[in-house]
Amino acid sequence: MPLVNMKALLKDAMERNYAVGSFSVANLEMIQGVIKAAEETKSPIILQIAEVRLNHSPLHIIGPAMLAAAKNASVPVAVHLDHGTTLECIGEALRLGFTSVMFDGSHLPFEKNVEMTKEVVSMAKGYGAAVEAEIGCVGGSEDGSVDIAMRCTSPDQAEIFAERTGVDALAIAIGNAHGFYKEAPELRFDILESVRDRVSIPLVLHGGTGIEPEDFIRCHQSGIKKINIATATFAAAERKVREGYEKGEIKGYYDMHVKQIEGAYENAKKHMEIFYSIGKA
Ligand code: 13P
């Protein structure tokens, strides 16, 4: 199964009423674990990495690894740049062959966000890649470095933004935030439903870590078709390693390597079940 475009994956998710898990990866072990879960469960998936993480995992190294994993997978896999903030980085991802990019202009004034997003849409067109953008502000930040205040999406703005920019997927803020939630999030399903009624493109939920299964299900039955999971994968890989040491199961480097794969695999598989993506590949 080839590397695929995110647009095609999300179209199928809309037609068959499920969500595609978009899993952030930081190394080969996480790539391997997520792909293993997708192949075993026959789930289409998206592999992604955020621009802010590239200081740990440089794009010119991890990007080709993500693409190679996708090309060799037995299920459809899209490769996505998450939270792109600079045109340089977005351009590099497109040149490498990423099949979609996110431009995150959520912190910009509305008109500036529209203008920059349009520029990214026209850049991506030349590569046949899809574009995700964000309207409203998802709380926190992808790497926890800044505590961005959450600002719920205005359905009116979402409709105008989608129309004017021509993006393929739209991330919205409905009480969700990146990282671990301090308190259980109370998602604004009223806003989600209102956006869904006005916007025809697939919607994206960031900040997947810590959202309850029943809320995930309500989200993907109400227009969310891409769900981002990052912190939970990192935490699962780290926890598996820690438990491995505690139980004396790690005797050397490669035992640790295997534990990381297992952590990423188990976490991804659990989410694929909740997203109803199993068997959809
Ligand atoms: P979490 O780290 O909360 O899972 O959020 C992931 C995300 O939205 C990446 O863009």
Side-chain angles (χ1 to χ4, degrees):
M1 190 71 65
L3 166 70
V4 297
N5 191 296
M6 180 179 86
K7 199 172 164 180
L9 287 190
L10 300 187
K11 182 170 179 282
D12 187 66
M14 280 183 109
E15 285 166 6
R16 295 201 283 164
N17 222 15
Y18 63 96
V20 181
S22 195
F23 297 95
S24 297
V25 290
N27 60 15
L28 277 189
E29 293 87 326
M30 291 183 205
I31 296 175
Q32 287 171 275
V34 171
I35 293 275
K36 182 177 169 212
E39 289 186 325
E40 199 178 288
T41 63
K42 301 203 174 357
S43 285
I45 53 153
I46 300 165
L47 282 181
Q48 66 177 18
I49 186 159
E51 182 171 340
V52 74
R53 298 287 186 188
L54 300 175
N55 52 350
H56 284 102
S57 315
L59 189 57
H60 67 282
I61 300 173
I62 197 155
M66 292 162 74
L67 290 159
K71 286 174 189 162
N72 287 283
S74 61
V75 292
V77 180
V79 175
H80 176 75
L81 177 74
D82 188 29
H83 292 285
T85 54
T86 64
L87 297 183
E88 292 72 23
C89 183
I90 289 171
E92 192 187 344
L94 291 170
R95 281 190 296 280
L96 280 172
F98 277 41
T99 51
S100 54
V101 291
M102 176 191 188
F103 172 68
D104 180 1
S106 56
H107 54 290
L108 299 172
F110 182 77
E111 283 301 326
K112 188 73 184 162
N113 191 4
V114 169
E115 182 195 317
M116 298 277 298
T117 302
K118 279 170 82 172
E119 196 170 336
V120 172
V121 168
S122 90
M123 273 169 81
K125 207 174 237 169
Y127 295 87
V131 177
E132 172 188 337
E134 180 172 322
I135 191 79
C137 253
V138 173
S141 69
E142 213 280 339
D143 67 343
S145 59
V146 240
D147 196 13
I148 297 168
M150 201 272 300
R151 180 167 41 81
C152 280
T153 301
S154 140
D156 285 344
Q157 276 197 347
E159 183 177 3
I160 298 165
F161 185 85
E163 226 170 75
R164 285 181 57 193
T165 58
V167 286
D168 302 292
L170 187 62
I172 57 168
I174 53 169
N176 45 323
H178 294 103
F180 290 116
Y181 289 93
K182 293 183 190 91
E183 290 157 22
E186 297 223 355
L187 298 183
R188 293 283 308 269
F189 290 103
D190 55 327
I191 296 179
L192 170 56
E193 285 158 16
S194 173
V195 176
R196 184 223 29 217
D197 291 346
R198 292 171 199 216
V199 172
S200 58
I201 54 174
L203 304 175
V204 181
L205 185 76
H206 284 244
T209 299
I211 290 181
E212 292 296 327
E214 56 273 23
D215 282 352
F216 273 137
I217 292 167
R218 196 163 163 197
C219 279
H220 67 64
Q221 296 303 297
S222 310
I224 296 283
K225 296 294 147 194
K226 170 177 183 277
I227 303 180
N228 287 9
I229 303 289
T231 307
T233 309
F234 307 143
E238 192 266 337
R239 190 173 54 246
K240 269 278 166 188
V241 171
R242 192 157 24 85
E243 286 170 2
Y245 277 115
E246 283 163 9
K247 292 180 189 159
E249 291 169 350
I250 299 182
K251 308 258 188 286
Y253 175 80
Y254 283 100
D255 297 328
M256 184 183 74
H257 172 99
V258 169
K259 290 290 180 193
Q260 283 197 56
I261 295 177
E262 277 175 22
Y265 159 80
E266 286 172 11
N267 176 67
K269 194 169 163 185
K270 178 180 83 184
H271 285 96
M272 288 163 187
E273 278 166 20
I274 299 167
F275 299 166
Y276 294 177
S277 66
I278 289 184
K280 301 295 198 305

